[in-house]
Amino acid sequence: MSDQYVKVQVEQMKSFGEDEEKEGVDTEEQVPGSSPSASVSPDHPTGTDASSTSLPCKQTGKSRSKPGREDKRHTSDVASQGSVVSAEKNLNRLGYERTLQVKGTGKILQRKSEPNGNYVTIHTSKNIEEMRREEGFKLAKKRRPVTVDTSKAKTSLEALKISIKQLKWKEFPLGRRTACDIYWHGVSFHDNENIVSGQVNKFPGMIEMLRKINLSRAVRTMQELFPEEYDFYPRSWILPEEYQQFTTQIHMVKEKDATVNPTFIVKPDGGSQGDGIYLIRDPSDLKLMTGSQAKQGVVQEYIQKPLLIDKLKFDIRLYVLIKSLEPLEIYIAKEGLTRFCTEPYQEPSQKNLSHVFMHLTNYSLNVHSGNFVHSDSQSTGSKRTLSSVLYRLAAKGVDIKRVWSDIIALVIKTVIAVVPELRVYYQADIPPGKPGPTCFQILGFDILLMKNLKPVLLEVNSNPSMRIEHEQEVAPGVFEYVPSPVDEEVKVGVIRDTLRLMDPGHKKATVPQQRASGFEQGEEIPMEEETQEKSQDETGTLPSLCLKQVYPKYFKQFNYLRLVERIAALFIRFLGVKGNMRLGPTAFRTFIR
């Protein structure tokens, strides 16, 4: 017999004879798994909900428990190096079963009592994780599969198909007459105007809000209120309306110091994939007109000292999920992409301003360079995973936790800057009382690391490419799409886990509405060791979530920045609608000024 004795607390449940017959009580029900009498092992497998670790008991007779009647017994036949963590006992008229969970082994021992008081071992059950998985499969079979309308998915279709297949959901590639649970749009909320229920992967107004001019305006408003918090966005001027102001300020700088010769990057308002971007060193080089029309865009300070790897400039594409606006929920993908230039970097000069393969990191530009390297490896080539770059920097002694913390702060602050006007757009399209879907959206943040490791926001894409193929030149001037393992690794995970988070079959956790008084300004985000997010996978066949919640998780550090959002709430409440006239985003900008 083992020297280690384990005390097991057992709830005694006996029949009451005459009392039971009088009252006619039938307790032939299954005891819920979350019974208070069941203790839970803290060493349950990672990724499972603690509330699900206690095992249900089977009651096979009619009995009624009387409070205060408990029997404490000792068992001495559990031979293990760990301790027995939990025990549950069920009694009937003839006997009862006892269930023991052995800490550290994940095993379940079950024994049954005979009338003479002896225990008979019934069986040793499977590992707890296996039992849960089997129960998950049974539950998943009973559930109606989630339906996804992919008829408007466009370039994200392949990654979406793979994700739906992994989740064992049901796809409707041509749409559906009856409502679907989720609608996946390729461009905007308005890809399908007839949706009155379910969930759509686009917010109304997001495309407009993230154009270069509107994003710059939103961040500038926050820079005026919180200049130190929003110093991650380059100084910008809106064209053509601020052309004179830009010219005056640059001339003043040069007059003060003739040796100063800053470089600026010009971006068209609605441009994408590097189209229309160019560098200048003098305001006179601006191309302000397209025919008889003025070009809308922004001109920004160019970051002249970026961090280099292999002598090449690169940027980070980070995927961010806005799960909801009210309450605000933000998730960041733990894995992203890095896009490299294809020509060794030199600080800008009049001679190299036009060298786009040196200064612009856009994949759609560099893929046409003769130096572009397609690679199946995640750590080499012109497109790599973010983790491979971070590991390489860590090997050189860089504080990666600090870099990641700064990136998270940049993302949260940027979203906080655009949410107020986004809520006005949302209100205009889906006012209270009008049938409509709920919304979520994946955004693409383009971030540059400076030589001093400070992250700088380049832009935010409302429709980041989720294509899992890349262009490859198969003949001179002839390109075709071939599979890209790096893209598939990152993008399928982002789409799949976004769907898991939006699964209508799971009850959404309510986010507590905390008061704004609980913040500490300037507090650094505590970067704990990487923990696995709780998976909402019932079958146990999917990996842990690749999306990490950052808000409201870090509510305390950032809530004080949501000042303009409170102004937006006042605008929506009192000025958003006047009779039949609806005031929109333009009126809101005037209002906050």
Side-chain angles (χ1 to χ4, degrees):
M1 182 180 296
S2 170
D3 293 332
Q4 296 182 354
Y5 290 88
V6 183
K7 183 179 292 185
V8 181
Q9 188 174 16
V10 181
E11 181 181 352
Q12 189 77 19
M13 301 174 67
K14 294 183 178 180
S15 63
F16 295 135
E18 295 180 0
D19 292 340
E20 181 188 26
E21 292 176 3
K22 289 178 183 179
E23 297 183 13
V25 178
D26 188 350
T27 59
E28 196 171 22
E29 298 176 356
Q30 183 173 338
V31 179
S34 57
S35 169
S37 64
S39 61
V40 180
S41 167
D43 291 343
H44 59 76
T46 305
T48 56
D49 195 350
S51 64
S52 65
T53 56
S54 57
L55 300 175
C57 309
K58 294 180 181 178
Q59 292 181 219
T60 55
K62 293 184 177 181
S63 62
R64 181 181 178 111
S65 60
K66 283 189 177 181
R69 293 195 176 186
E70 292 187 355
D71 181 23
K72 297 185 178 179
R73 300 170 183 260
H74 297 275
T75 59
S76 58
D77 55 353
V78 182
S80 69
Q81 295 182 356
S83 61
V84 177
V85 177
S86 63
E88 291 186 9
K89 180 175 70 173
N90 303 301
L91 297 170
N92 54 29
R93 294 181 183 278
L94 296 177
Y96 57 83
E97 294 180 9
R98 170 171 292 183
T99 302
L100 301 178
Q101 178 179 337
V102 183
K103 181 176 181 180
T105 66
K107 297 295 183 181
I108 299 295
L109 302 180
Q110 288 185 321
R111 295 193 167 196
K112 184 175 181 179
S113 69
E114 294 182 325
N116 60 8
N118 295 329
Y119 287 111
V120 178
T121 300
I122 302 174
H123 67 279
T124 301
S125 75
K126 299 178 182 178
N127 184 284
I128 303 173
E129 188 69 24
E130 294 176 3
M131 291 179 64
R132 284 200 200 97
R133 190 172 298 153
E134 289 178 2
E135 291 173 2
F137 276 122
K138 293 176 183 177
L139 182 60
K141 286 181 181 179
K142 294 178 182 178
R143 272 189 58 192
R144 177 182 67 83
V146 178
T147 55
V148 185
D149 183 333
T150 63
S151 60
K152 307 290 184 181
K154 297 193 175 180
T155 58
S156 60
L157 183 59
E158 290 305 314
L160 185 59
K161 283 180 175 291
I162 294 173
S163 300
I164 293 172
K165 186 176 181 180
Q166 289 179 358
L167 295 171
K168 297 179 173 60
W169 290 4
K170 192 167 185 180
E171 178 194 1
F172 287 86
L174 301 177
R176 190 187 189 196
R177 289 184 179 179
T178 55
C180 280
D181 296 309
I182 294 175
Y183 297 84
W184 197 275
H185 291 178
V187 179
S188 78
F189 174 80
H190 297 287
D191 285 356
N192 186 342
E193 299 282 4
N194 301 316
I195 302 173
V196 295
S197 64
Q199 302 176 92
V200 179
N201 72 315
K202 302 291 181 186
F203 281 98
M206 187 68 84
I207 290 179
E208 294 80 5
M209 192 59 238
L210 295 182
R211 289 182 183 274
K212 310 294 189 300
I213 290 178
N214 286 338
L215 177 62
S216 295
R217 280 198 178 111
V219 175
R220 182 186 295 175
T221 297
M222 299 303 290
Q223 286 175 332
E224 292 173 358
L225 293 168
F226 309 100
E228 293 183 0
E229 299 288 350
Y230 281 83
D231 62 349
F232 57 80
Y233 192 67
R235 190 162 55 147
S236 306
W237 295 265
I238 295 168
L239 299 175
E241 61 188 77
E242 295 178 351
Y243 169 74
Q244 197 60 48
Q245 180 185 344
F246 168 65
T247 302
T248 302
Q249 290 180 354
I250 301 309
H251 285 162
M252 288 176 61
V253 170
K254 291 184 177 181
E255 286 175 3
K256 288 182 180 179
D257 188 348
T259 61
V260 175
N261 197 10
T263 303
F264 302 91
I265 185 167
V266 185
K267 303 176 182 179
D269 184 37
S272 62
Q273 301 181 334
D275 184 39
I277 298 177
Y278 61 97
L279 273 58
I280 63 171
R281 305 201 86 179
D282 191 274
S284 61
D285 296 328
L286 277 171
K287 304 167 187 175
L288 294 175
M289 303 296 291
T290 303
S292 59
Q293 292 186 339
K295 282 188 176 181
Q296 300 282 327
V298 296
V299 55
Q300 294 179 324
E301 286 182 312
Y302 180 77
I303 306 301
Q304 300 194 48
K305 295 186 181 297
L307 180 68
L308 304 179
I309 290 183
D310 299 330
K311 299 181 179 180
L312 299 172
K313 181 181 176 180
F314 69 96
D315 76 349
I316 297 168
R317 164 58 61 85
L318 198 61
Y319 297 97
V320 174
L321 168 67
I322 299 183
K323 187 170 181 278
S324 73
L325 283 184
E326 188 59 45
L328 182 60
E329 290 187 68
I330 308 169
Y331 289 76
I332 295 181
K334 299 174 186 176
E335 184 64 284
L337 297 171
T338 52
R339 293 92 54 91
F340 283 75
C341 287
T342 49
E343 187 177 328
Y345 181 78
Q346 298 174 7
E347 289 196 20
S349 66
Q350 203 62 43
K351 292 182 179 180
N352 66 28
L353 285 183
S354 61
H355 292 203
V356 292
F357 298 145
M358 176 189 294
H359 295 294
L360 304 183
T361 55
N362 303 74
Y363 163 80
S364 53
L365 292 176
N366 283 280
V367 74
H368 297 291
S369 166
N371 297 325
F372 191 92
V373 179
H374 290 285
S375 175
D376 291 344
S377 169
Q378 297 184 4
S379 57
T380 61
S382 297
K383 184 188 286 187
R384 312 175 193 179
T385 60
L386 173 58
S387 59
S388 71
V389 169
L390 293 179
Y391 286 140
R392 184 164 175 178
L393 293 176
K396 295 182 178 181
V398 172
D399 186 353
I400 296 304
K401 286 187 178 181
R402 179 58 186 267
V403 172
W404 190 240
S405 175
D406 291 344
I407 289 174
I408 289 176
L410 179 152
V411 168
I412 295 174
K413 291 172 184 177
T414 303
V415 173
I416 286 175
V418 302
V419 159
E421 196 166 326
L422 193 61
R423 287 186 60 187
V424 176
Y425 277 106
Y426 193 91
Q427 175 82 9
D429 271 284
I430 313 176
K434 176 184 175 182
T438 57
C439 302
F440 63 96
Q441 189 155 350
I442 298 170
L443 306 177
F445 275 66
D446 292 346
I447 298 168
L448 181 75
L449 289 179
M450 295 175 63
K451 193 174 182 179
N452 62 3
L453 298 175
K454 177 182 177 180
V456 174
L457 178 66
L458 300 179
E459 60 181 288
V460 185
N461 295 271
S462 59
N463 292 311
S465 171
M466 302 306 284
R467 190 186 287 276
I468 57 175
E469 311 89 11
H470 59 223
E471 285 183 279
Q472 191 164 357
E473 191 171 16
V474 293
V478 179
F479 291 84
E480 68 176 22
Y481 283 101
V482 297
S484 170
V486 175
D487 285 287
E488 183 171 339
E489 172 71 20
V490 175
K491 296 175 182 178
V492 170
V494 170
I495 291 179
R496 180 195 64 230
D497 290 348
T498 294
L499 292 174
R500 288 166 73 183
L501 286 169
M502 304 311 301
D503 183 351
H506 292 112
K507 292 182 179 179
K508 296 181 181 179
T510 56
V511 181
Q513 297 297 311
Q514 306 179 55
R515 294 183 179 179
S517 58
F519 66 84
E520 294 182 23
Q521 186 169 344
E523 183 178 351
E524 184 180 350
I525 299 175
M527 296 306 295
E528 68 280 357
E529 292 296 325
E530 197 67 49
T531 57
Q532 287 188 336
E533 299 288 330
K534 287 184 179 179
S535 171
Q536 300 188 23
D537 174 29
E538 291 173 340
T539 65
T541 58
L542 296 174
S544 60
L545 289 173
C546 72
L547 295 168
K548 173 186 175 67
Q549 189 195 79
V550 296
Y551 198 92
K553 182 174 183 179
Y554 300 126
F555 172 94
K556 187 176 180 182
Q557 292 94 320
F558 298 100
N559 188 60
Y560 72 99
L561 298 174
R562 298 178 70 180
L563 175 62
V564 180
E565 196 172 341
R566 294 166 200 156
I567 299 174
L570 292 174
F571 174 84
I572 291 170
R573 182 174 180 182
F574 298 111
L575 300 174
V577 176
K578 284 187 176 180
N580 294 326
M581 183 181 69
R582 181 180 296 156
L583 297 180
T586 303
F588 173 65
R589 291 187 214 113
T590 304
F591 179 70
I592 62 173
R593 280 201 298 271

